[in-house]
Amino acid sequence: MHPRPASDKVLKADLARATGFNNNRPVKDVSAELQSALDALKAAGGGTLYLPAGRYLVDNPIKVPSGVELRGSWDVQHHTQSGGTAIFTNYDGGTIGEKGASLIQLEANAGIRGITLAQLNIASDGYSASNPRKTPFLIQGQGPKVYIINVTIAVGDKGIDLASYDTSGHYVDYLGGVPLRAGIWVGGGAEGGFIRNMQFNPHYGSRLPEGGQGYPEVFMMRFVQSNCSALKFADVKNQTIFNNFVYGSVYGIHFLKDAITGKYPGKMTVIGHGSDGCTYSLFVEDADKNTKIVAVNSELVNTKIPNEPVRSYVLMGNEVNTGKVHPNAKLILYNSAFWGSPVFGAIINNGIVSFQQANFTRSGTQGIDVRGGKAHVYTSYFAQKIAAPTAGDGGYARLGEQGKSIELTNNYYLSGFRFNKSGEGLIYGSDKK
């Protein structure tokens, strides 16, 4: 069940806006009036502030008070081309730029629903699709149980910040759009949060509603593939990440040490996640002995990206035997689909990575490259044909000089078992002849 505001009161905000199937943009900044309406609703015991369909200009940060929901016309996930209630902005953080306050700040138990956001000046006034403007996050959660539902980012530099504060119990459902450098970043010690049914894709910036309706038209595929970190999870526990999709990003889903608390990712469940068109579809950069990330029904895809010579579905640690990943940190993938154009299927530099029922349509130069740490591979299918017997480093799996071990049990290899080993690590399992 979706979160709700503190009461059933609904206040309609009658503010200046642009409407109609034309390319008109709003010209009056309604930030102060909008904030006054939100504050008045808070004083009345909370409830919903409704913005009718249209395009509103908000050029200064606003704060949604606790117990209040800012709501637009949409009750379902929607695309930029569908129009509806939209907040346009030129706000870029002022004198401190991207380090400035977020445009929309959610206090504890506050939410936003059914609205599209668009950064009008993302690629204008000296900026471009290859060098877009840097801005703060469009939305920031500032306490527990904040929620973002049925929100679309037509284009923006950064999406949702759930990392600067403890937003335990946060709830994000049906978020779509094209964030350029950062999508949703989560941390701050949050526990029990949900991120579900989101979709990031660059076409949100180029498929506009009838008449254009004032939206900036931007084609950001190349930039996003080389600069975006779509989903980041740091100091979080018992996080549920369900049915999300990222198209085009350096890191599709990224786990790392928290910049504020200094703590590592805890136990997390990822169900039905898809990363497509990414350099590294899943990246564990930092993990301690208590980190346990379980991914079920994942689809992780690489594509050939200019200026990205190394690509892999999974990257565990950024260098061989990195101290940033504990040897007992765990990444477990069940029932995963891997396809596209990887250079390596999985690069394991430390920790323990397990694959069960994986389908490697393409496995790259090495399907499983254990450079450090350990790997377990069970009941998986390596479908890439290898034309000649493996020479040198080629094959379905490799245990490098500093790799600890790899277990290969009950797997099928289209061209027969092809494996390479250097160093003193252990190879075992039913596939070893």
Side-chain angles (χ1 to χ4, degrees):
M1 181 175 293
H2 283 172
R4 294 174 56 84
S7 85
D8 292 334
K9 296 187 186 76
V10 178
L11 174 65
K12 178 183 174 183
D14 186 13
L15 305 177
R17 65 189 189 272
T19 60
F21 298 113
N22 51 57
N23 209 27
N24 296 340
R25 287 180 174 176
V27 294
K28 181 184 178 183
D29 179 10
V30 299
S31 305
E33 295 170 83
L34 180 56
Q35 187 65 64
S36 293
L38 290 165
D39 293 342
L41 193 55
K42 167 66 176 177
T48 299
L49 182 67
Y50 176 64
L51 285 178
R55 287 129 21 220
Y56 300 82
L57 182 63
V58 177
D59 271 347
N60 289 282
I62 61 168
K63 182 167 290 192
V64 182
S66 181
V68 174
E69 177 182 298
L70 178 60
R71 184 169 188 146
S73 59
W74 286 104
D75 268 337
V76 294
Q77 189 179 33
H78 57 284
H79 198 282
T80 305
Q81 62 189 357
S82 303
T85 303
I87 290 177
F88 286 7
T89 189
N90 295 291
Y91 172 71
D92 62 1
T95 57
I96 54 176
E98 64 177 325
K99 301 296 184 182
S102 292
L103 179 70
I104 299 172
Q105 301 159 37
L106 304 177
E107 291 186 346
N109 299 289
I112 181 172
R113 185 193 307 253
I115 290 175
T116 297
L117 306 174
Q119 186 79 37
L120 296 179
N121 56 351
I122 197 75
S124 63
D125 304 323
Y127 296 90
S128 64
S130 61
N131 179 36
R133 186 185 300 270
K134 292 182 179 180
T135 76
F137 280 87
L138 287 167
I139 301 174
Q140 181 183 69
Q142 297 184 346
K145 297 186 179 180
V146 296
Y147 58 96
I148 300 102
I149 299 170
N150 297 327
V151 169
T152 292
I153 299 170
V155 65
D157 186 50
K158 302 178 185 70
I160 300 176
D161 172 13
L162 299 175
S164 296
Y165 295 81
D166 180 350
T167 59
S168 291
H170 59 256
Y171 190 93
V172 180
D173 196 6
Y174 290 114
L175 174 78
V178 53
L180 305 185
R181 292 183 174 91
I184 306 174
W185 290 10
V186 190
E191 187 167 358
F194 283 81
I195 309 288
R196 53 189 290 173
N197 299 320
M198 54 133 284
Q199 179 176 153
F200 290 155
N201 195 309
H203 62 52
Y204 280 84
S206 57
R207 300 179 186 177
L208 306 185
E210 183 178 347
Q213 297 186 29
Y215 285 87
E217 185 178 26
V218 287
F219 298 85
M220 302 306 301
M221 173 67 78
R222 290 290 176 245
F223 183 86
V224 168
Q225 284 186 315
S226 297
N227 294 276
C228 187
S229 185
L231 289 169
K232 271 190 178 181
F233 295 92
D235 179 12
V236 295
K237 305 176 187 68
N238 301 319
Q239 179 82 30
T240 297
I241 308 160
F242 176 76
N243 200 34
N244 300 306
F245 179 76
V246 173
Y247 185 80
S249 187
V250 178
Y251 308 121
I253 185 166
H254 184 182
F255 303 90
L256 70 166
K257 185 177 180 179
D258 199 293
I260 296 174
T261 69
K263 296 182 179 180
Y264 294 84
K267 293 182 179 179
M268 275 177 275
T269 304
V270 183
I271 302 172
H273 176 80
S275 291
D276 193 354
C278 297
T279 304
Y280 300 104
S281 299
L282 187 157
F283 177 30
V284 180
E285 182 177 358
D286 303 288
D288 68 5
K289 63 181 180 180
N290 298 314
T291 299
K292 184 178 180 181
I293 301 163
V294 177
V296 182
N297 295 344
S298 304
E299 183 176 37
L300 304 179
V301 183
N302 297 134
T303 56
K304 291 181 179 179
I305 301 171
N307 304 316
E308 299 293 343
V310 178
R311 302 175 300 278
S312 68
Y313 306 124
V314 174
L315 177 61
M316 185 75 165
N318 62 351
E319 60 184 16
V320 175
N321 285 336
T322 173
K324 298 173 68 176
V325 173
H326 193 278
N328 292 326
K330 296 179 177 64
L331 171 63
I332 304 167
L333 298 105
Y334 296 102
N335 196 34
S336 307
F338 303 108
W339 58 276
S341 303
V343 178
F344 303 95
I347 300 172
I348 300 165
N349 285 310
N350 211 344
I352 304 168
V353 181
S354 301
F355 300 88
Q356 187 161 326
Q357 290 186 301
N359 184 352
F360 288 89
T361 302
R362 300 285 299 172
S363 48
T365 305
Q366 297 292 345
I368 310 293
D369 191 0
V370 184
R371 303 177 184 184
K374 303 175 182 179
H376 304 273
V377 188
Y378 308 115
T379 321
S380 295
Y381 178 38
F382 292 84
Q384 180 174 324
K385 185 175 182 180
I386 299 177
T390 302
D393 286 339
Y396 293 118
R398 183 177 81 93
L399 185 62
E401 287 190 10
Q402 299 184 58
K404 303 294 190 299
S405 65
I406 182 167
E407 178 186 6
L408 296 161
T409 294
N410 199 34
N411 303 297
Y412 181 81
Y413 311 90
L414 184 64
S415 296
F417 185 64
R418 304 285 178 85
F419 185 87
N420 285 287
K421 176 180 180 290
S422 55
E424 302 299 322
L426 176 65
I427 309 167
Y428 64 103
S430 65
D431 299 350
K432 182 184 176 185
K433 305 301 182 184

